[in-house]
């Protein structure tokens, strides 16, 4: 199933915070974890992920440090901050309210007992 890119784009900061809430990761690891958790339905592109990481870091929601492994290249590791955890909690509550509202609209919950739409008379 193809997910509309705009839906992903608008929720990228929340998704990154959610992934980092389980522990520090480098950019590639964040991207792979998103794919794993979404059963490959969601994917980050470099042009989306790294600007989001920089923005979250500038806002104090994540922090980074360089890791120099014995083998391989140095890589930047990102971790969620206390402020980031609070923001994630707030965004999660907002997301759940939004999803419930959309589900209610899509599900067609009617205003009354009559499930048929009512027509207004023209004046």
């Amino acid at each position: 199933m193809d997910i509309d890119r705009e839906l992903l784009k608008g929720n990228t900061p929340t998704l990154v915070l959610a992934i980092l809430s389980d522990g520090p990761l480098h950019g590639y690891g964040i991207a792979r974890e998103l794919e794993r958790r979404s059963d490959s339905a969601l994917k980050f592109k470099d042009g989306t992920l790294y600007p989001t990481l920089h923005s979250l870091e500038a806002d104090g929601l994540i922090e980074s440090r360089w890791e120099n492994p014995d083998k391989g290249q140095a890589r930047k590791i990102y971790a969620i901050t206390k402020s980031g955890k609070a923001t994630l909690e707030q965004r999660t509550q907002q997301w759940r309210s939004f999803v419930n509202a959309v589900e209610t609209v899509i599900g067609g919950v009617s205003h009354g007992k009559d499930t048929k739409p009512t027509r207004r008379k023209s004046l």
Side-chain angles (χ1 to χ4, degrees), residues 1-3 40-42:
M1 175 179 171
D2 286 334
I3 304 294
S40 296
L42 303 175

Side-chain angles (χ1 to χ4, degrees), residues 118-123:
T118 58
R119 288 189 168 190
R120 293 183 143 186
K121 292 184 180 180
S122 299
L123 296 176

Side-chain angles (χ1 to χ4, degrees), residues 73-123:
Q73 296 181 352
R75 55 188 178 183
K76 203 171 200 181
I77 304 294
Y78 298 91
I80 193 168
T81 63
K82 186 176 180 179
S83 178
K85 288 178 183 179
T87 298
L88 174 60
E89 186 175 317
Q90 178 187 25
R91 288 181 181 189
T92 300
Q93 290 172 358
Q94 289 173 344
W95 175 255
R96 288 189 175 130
S97 294
F98 175 76
V99 168
N100 286 336
V102 170
E103 284 292 333
T104 300
V105 172
I106 291 173
V109 176
S110 76
H111 292 283
K113 293 178 185 177
D114 185 7
T115 58
K116 294 181 183 178
T118 58
R119 288 189 168 190
R120 293 183 143 186
K121 292 184 180 180
S122 299
L123 296 176

